[in-house]
Amino acid sequence: MSRFKNIKIIAFDADDTLWDCQSHFDRVTDRMAEMLAPWCSADEARAQLVNTECKNLALSGYGCKPYILSVIETAIRVSGGQIPSSLVGELVNLGYALMQMPVPPLPEVEETLARLPNYYKVVFTKGDLLDQEQKLQRSGLANYFQHLEITSDKTERHFWQLCHKLNIQPHELLMVGNSFKSDIAPALAIGANGIHIPYHVVWEMEHADEFTHPHCVKIQHFTQILSLV
């Protein structure tokens, strides 16, 4: 029996829901930490990067470009400006590589999307417009979706705006995502539904306390969606 009824639209997060993303960022962070070994421990380098990202978030938003700017800023600050220009250049190149990273769909994603033909499907994700558009195209999944919505953040206000744009009531929306903080909690807060599918790596700034809710189900495998709708 379907758990979610009267759903008109299923919205999917992109990064770490449809394809792997965070592990690519983590590798760059690890390389930055290696570079900063003469000045601080790896844990301190990572903590300093999180502080930089928090400081810059309101101005730069989410995505590869603001991330790599924060990495470079952190490397220069922590090293007291002593990090060699060759290493700064390497960080720049790693940033370009992030903007072209391969994005094959995660296991069961394409199979599940192909078996949901009767639903209007949306990618609802935050980040840089061009970056997210290109990742969707590189993933090979674009044809499974009828709408792409890229936003600066995903708060209750942004979920309300999505419902208004798609001309639905919140209870007619089902949000699928890996981040409880960004994908699930704000959707539930406006009366929408959620399917939480955690990923094995989580960005430090996406950690949040989870809670149970009658309109939310936590799953481990993407194909479980098929038995819920």
Side-chain angles (χ1 to χ4, degrees), residues 146-164:
Q146 289 73 50
H147 183 76
L148 169 62
E149 189 73 17
I150 301 170
T151 182
S152 60
D153 205 348
K154 283 196 287 194
T155 65
E156 293 177 34
R157 177 174 63 85
H158 293 92
F159 273 91
W160 276 115
Q161 289 173 343
L162 178 68
C163 290
H164 178 74

Side-chain angles (χ1 to χ4, degrees), residues 175-216:
M175 181 69 204
V176 179
N178 70 293
S179 171
F180 199 89
K181 178 180 179 180
S182 295
D183 301 321
I184 305 303
L188 297 176
I190 71 163
N193 307 277
I195 294 180
H196 183 209
I197 179 165
Y199 196 50
H200 68 278
V201 289
V202 181
W203 183 30
E204 184 71 26
M205 295 174 66
E206 288 291 350
H207 286 287
D209 292 333
E210 299 179 18
F211 53 84
T212 58
H213 193 283
H215 296 155
C216 179

Side-chain angles (χ1 to χ4, degrees), residues 9 14 22 43 55 73 95-96 135 151 172 188 197 201 211:
I9 291 177
Q22 187 58 43
D43 287 344
K55 173 181 70 70
E73 178 185 337
Y96 281 116
K135 279 192 285 189
T151 182
E172 297 172 317
L188 297 176
I197 179 165
V201 289
F211 53 84

Side-chain angles (χ1 to χ4, degrees), residues 3 13 18 21 23 34-35 38 59 63 69 72 76 82 90 96 121 135 139 152 165 170 218-219 228:
R3 170 67 181 270
D13 174 52
L18 299 178
C21 180
S23 66
E34 290 175 359
M35 293 179 182
L59 178 65
L69 285 174
I72 294 169
I76 293 172
Q82 297 181 49
E90 181 182 341
Y96 281 116
K121 296 183 289 296
K135 279 192 285 189
S139 74
S152 60
K165 179 174 289 188
K218 186 175 183 178
I219 63 175
L228 296 170

Side-chain angles (χ1 to χ4, degrees), residues 64-136:
C64 294
K65 297 167 192 173
Y67 164 75
I68 205 65
L69 285 174
S70 290
V71 167
I72 294 169
E73 178 185 337
T74 301
I76 293 172
R77 185 183 70 252
V78 171
S79 70
Q82 297 181 49
I83 187 169
S85 60
S86 60
L87 294 184
V88 175
E90 181 182 341
L91 292 174
V92 171
N93 288 334
L94 289 172
Y96 281 116
L98 280 179
M99 289 184 276
Q100 303 172 74
M101 63 184 175
V103 284
L106 289 171
E108 303 180 357
V109 166
E110 188 163 12
E111 170 193 351
T112 302
L113 294 175
R115 293 172 62 186
L116 290 169
N118 296 325
Y119 286 93
Y120 190 92
K121 296 183 289 296
V122 173
V123 174
F124 182 44
T125 190
K126 63 186 179 185
D128 178 79
L129 175 62
L130 181 60
D131 184 37
Q132 295 293 51
E133 286 179 335
Q134 291 180 340
K135 279 192 285 189
L136 181 59

